[in-house]
Amino acid sequence: MADRKRLSCQSWCPPAVGSCVDTGVLLGRFDGQSRLLFGALMSGLSGAQTALAVFHRQQRADPENTLVNFILTLCREEVSPEREAVSLAVKPLVCLFPPLFKQNLLTFLCLLRSAIPGPTVGLLLQCLRQDISPTPWVRALGRQLERKLELSHKDPLYSEQCSQKLKTLSQRLGGFCETGGWADCFDSQTEEYQSHARRHLSEPGSQRKRRASLDRADADSEETAQESKRMKMDTHVDEPVAAEEENVRMDTEGGCERTAEAPADRAHDGLPEHIRGSVLHMKELLESQTEWDQSSTDVFQVLNECDPSQVEMLCETLNFPILPEHTLPKLCNSILSLSPDLSYGAAASLIRSILLTKVSSLSEPASRCLVTAVTSLCSRYPRPMCHAVIEPVLVDSNIGPAQTELLNRLIESCLDFHYRLLVLQMTFRIPWNEAVLSVIHSLLDSKLVLNEEVFAQFTEQLVSQGPPFTKSVKFAKMMLTVLTKYSSHVTAAQKHSLTCCLNLNETFLKKPLQAALKRIPDT
């Protein structure tokens, strides 16, 4: 929840309140693999590199391992003591850890490159914005990660104070008044900061200034660069000046390179020679307007020879995320004709690349071609579809009616019991909104069988996430479904909790809900 909620210690007090800021206790919120990653990130200044090595070892042991659960746990809300002794505050778990952990976490995510789960990391960055006093490192790395994920380019990496210190450093190095070089680079950052503060200035013009000035920054000599390194050892700078300057340069140059050099060409170089030839043939097929014959379909058999990382490179080479939708049915037919079926890792990478961007960006009902592609791949590869598309879409705070309609269609026609149950459990780890409620209602209407453990978890979510939905008819209908279809699962303790939840309801369904709950015997 974006707004901070105040809780009086007199009205409610969790056990061991003081432990809310104890990292040893907070570690218990994570599963086994996440604890190893957590320990690596807490291991000091080299924590990011250590965590990267740990994560790669985990992926080699289990290719299905992702960071989604770890990041969603960090985004869970936790009660923590405020400075005033009489109050508590609810904050994301990540905000309770020391600055070094946050710095290592963001550095680790930047090092992951294409393996970053974009929507999930976007949720993490939103949680970090709730930190009252972030360090300059955390602020700069967070903004750099936003740029890497193309979430935001408006916030400058440099603060005004940092820009002044950079100018001072440039003066010490000499040549500050000369044209070009470091001075222009720092001046451009000051202009960017000021242009961000003056919102009436146009964003494209500001970006052109910044790009042009940073291009001139590359003209610095090697001698000046060596002197810069010596100065960094002798001069204490409060903010991460050198790293910020390098990140800005790499970010901007990367943007220029992306326009000059196609990403597909760079990804193509990382593939084995025999796969490259097939990739070129695939590219010709995708660009052609003719029907594909069996020999054309056989070209995609090379996917069975690729590991997940090679599949990602292949998808980047072929620009699958921006592939026209009318080519999707032919592409999916070729993928479905593969024998044997793709591994989980390869299928997840392929499905994520082809579908996630298209589904996440829907603003109107999906086209027939997109629906055909999604349903056909989901029927053959349900588990990869759940993890590569359904979960990121549910996590995305911008999920709307178009996404909800498509997910409900998958639930009704493509997912069997085990995967519907998996999707329901995914909703336990994310904040609910009206769209997520619609998906949960669709799952319950599909005659989903819940065991006692899952139903207990679901009940906890109903009680904990219910307060914001006191006026939601959709939430009330979902509760009515639970009380009628799953009445035999409700224990006495759960009945008491649900009674408290229903007392807050303000919809016209309040009395039917209370009547349905009253009919459940105390057992």
Side-chain angles (χ1 to χ4, degrees):
M1 287 175 285
D3 297 332
R4 301 175 56 199
K5 296 182 179 177
R6 299 285 181 173
L7 301 173
S8 171
C9 287
Q10 297 176 350
S11 63
W12 185 83
C13 187
V17 169
S19 67
C20 289
V21 292
D22 183 358
T23 55
V25 175
L26 297 180
L27 184 59
R29 309 293 192 267
F30 299 87
D31 58 29
Q33 287 189 330
S34 296
R35 290 183 186 182
L36 291 175
L37 203 56
F38 175 89
L41 292 170
M42 292 288 289
S43 62
L45 295 176
S46 60
Q49 293 290 347
T50 305
L52 188 64
V54 169
F55 180 69
H56 284 162
R57 285 198 298 270
Q58 290 177 344
Q59 278 205 314
R60 286 195 294 269
D62 180 14
E64 301 175 9
N65 180 47
T66 67
L67 288 172
V68 172
N69 289 341
F70 175 68
I71 295 176
L72 289 177
T73 302
L74 289 172
C75 295
R76 284 176 48 185
E77 292 182 341
E78 198 77 20
V79 177
S80 67
E82 285 292 288
R83 294 181 180 178
E84 299 82 11
V86 297
S87 65
L88 301 171
V90 177
K91 298 180 180 179
L93 183 61
V94 68
C95 294
L96 304 183
F97 292 115
L100 181 60
F101 172 84
K102 301 172 194 173
Q103 176 182 327
N104 285 338
L105 173 65
L106 293 171
T107 305
F108 164 67
L109 292 174
C110 287
L111 292 173
L112 277 178
R113 301 181 184 277
S114 60
I116 297 178
T120 312
V121 175
L123 181 63
L124 175 67
L125 293 173
Q126 290 179 11
C127 293
L128 283 171
R129 292 193 194 101
Q130 300 180 37
D131 198 351
I132 299 175
S133 55
T135 64
W137 269 115
V138 173
R139 185 186 301 111
L141 288 170
R143 291 176 179 176
Q144 176 65 14
L145 192 55
E146 285 181 342
R147 294 187 178 200
K148 180 175 181 179
L149 296 175
E150 298 183 352
L151 298 176
S152 174
H153 289 270
K154 64 180 182 179
D155 293 328
L157 299 181
Y158 282 26
S159 68
E160 190 173 16
Q161 181 184 9
C162 183
S163 296
Q164 294 300 323
K165 291 182 178 181
L166 287 171
K167 286 185 178 181
T168 303
L169 178 61
S170 181
Q171 287 175 326
R172 291 184 182 182
L173 293 174
F176 178 74
C177 296
E178 297 177 5
T179 302
W182 284 35
D184 283 356
C185 177
F186 304 150
D187 280 336
S188 85
Q189 290 301 318
T190 303
E191 292 171 6
E192 181 185 358
Y193 183 88
Q194 292 171 348
S195 67
H196 175 58
R198 298 193 302 269
R199 295 184 179 272
H200 63 274
L201 290 181
S202 63
E203 184 178 348
S206 172
Q207 291 178 346
R208 283 196 298 271
K209 288 182 186 177
R210 176 168 163 265
R211 188 179 300 115
S213 60
L214 284 175
D215 287 340
R216 294 196 298 272
D218 291 338
D220 288 282
S221 65
E222 293 181 2
E223 181 179 353
T224 303
Q226 293 298 325
E227 183 65 18
S228 169
K229 294 178 182 178
R230 288 193 292 271
M231 289 296 297
K232 284 194 291 184
M233 299 298 295
D234 297 335
T235 305
H236 174 73
V237 180
D238 293 335
E239 299 195 37
V241 173
E244 285 185 343
E245 189 275 335
E246 179 65 12
N247 285 340
V248 173
R249 185 184 65 80
M250 292 178 64
D251 179 71
T252 305
E253 289 182 355
C256 296
E257 289 174 2
R258 281 192 292 270
T259 60
E261 178 185 2
D265 296 335
R266 298 199 305 274
H268 186 281
D269 294 339
L271 295 171
E273 187 65 34
H274 72 285
I275 297 179
R276 294 185 194 178
S278 297
V279 169
L280 293 175
H281 194 175
M282 291 180 195
K283 195 169 186 178
E284 293 176 359
L285 287 172
L286 293 170
E287 292 174 353
S288 69
Q289 302 297 324
T290 59
E291 292 297 323
W292 297 0
D293 55 19
Q294 185 59 43
S295 62
S296 301
T297 302
D298 290 342
V299 175
F300 290 86
Q301 192 67 39
V302 74
L303 290 169
N304 267 320
E305 304 175 28
C306 300
D307 58 34
S309 61
Q310 290 174 332
V311 171
E312 288 184 4
M313 285 189 285
L314 184 148
C315 293
E316 183 181 353
T317 302
L318 296 173
N319 291 323
F320 276 176
I322 59 173
L323 202 64
E325 291 188 4
H326 69 269
T327 63
L328 292 180
K330 292 189 291 185
L331 174 60
C332 291
N333 287 337
S334 298
I335 294 172
L336 297 175
S337 68
L338 295 177
S339 180
D341 286 349
L342 295 171
S343 67
Y344 168 84
S349 297
L350 191 62
I351 290 172
R352 183 184 303 110
S353 178
I354 296 174
L355 298 178
L356 181 55
T357 300
K358 291 180 172 61
V359 174
S360 299
S361 61
L362 284 175
S363 57
E364 55 186 21
S367 67
R368 183 183 302 176
C369 291
L370 181 57
V371 170
T372 301
V374 173
T375 53
S376 61
L377 290 177
C378 185
S379 298
R380 177 67 67 86
Y381 298 103
R383 189 177 184 192
M385 178 66 73
C386 288
H387 289 289
V389 174
I390 295 178
E391 184 171 20
V393 170
L394 287 173
V395 171
D396 191 349
S397 59
N398 294 321
I399 180 175
Q403 287 82 10
T404 303
E405 179 185 350
L406 186 58
L407 294 188
N408 289 342
R409 181 179 295 213
L410 295 181
I411 291 168
E412 294 168 4
S413 60
C414 301
L415 296 177
D416 63 17
F417 158 72
H418 301 286
Y419 299 110
R420 294 199 303 272
L421 186 61
L422 175 62
V423 174
L424 178 66
Q425 291 174 308
M426 288 176 178
T427 66
F428 298 167
R429 303 191 292 266
I430 61 176
W432 288 358
N433 53 39
E434 291 290 326
V436 175
L437 292 181
S438 177
V439 173
I440 296 175
H441 200 181
S442 179
L443 289 166
L444 298 177
D445 283 343
S446 67
K447 300 180 180 179
L448 191 63
V449 179
L450 305 181
N451 57 37
E452 292 183 3
E453 180 182 358
V454 175
F455 184 78
Q457 295 173 352
F458 184 40
T459 305
E460 290 177 5
Q461 293 298 314
L462 287 173
V463 174
S464 63
Q465 303 214 44
F469 300 104
T470 56
K471 298 181 180 180
S472 171
V473 175
K474 192 171 293 185
F475 182 81
K477 288 182 178 179
M478 185 180 71
M479 287 285 289
L480 193 58
T481 301
V482 172
L483 296 177
T484 53
K485 291 189 176 182
Y486 301 95
S487 58
S488 60
H489 291 65
V490 180
T491 64
Q494 291 168 349
K495 182 178 179 180
H496 176 72
S497 299
L498 291 172
T499 300
C500 297
C501 181
L502 294 184
N503 288 338
L504 301 175
N505 192 277
E506 300 178 19
T507 69
F508 66 92
L509 291 172
K510 181 174 182 176
K511 288 186 177 180
L513 285 169
Q514 291 175 329
L517 186 62
K518 190 176 181 179
R519 286 193 294 270
I520 299 176
D522 295 326
T523 55

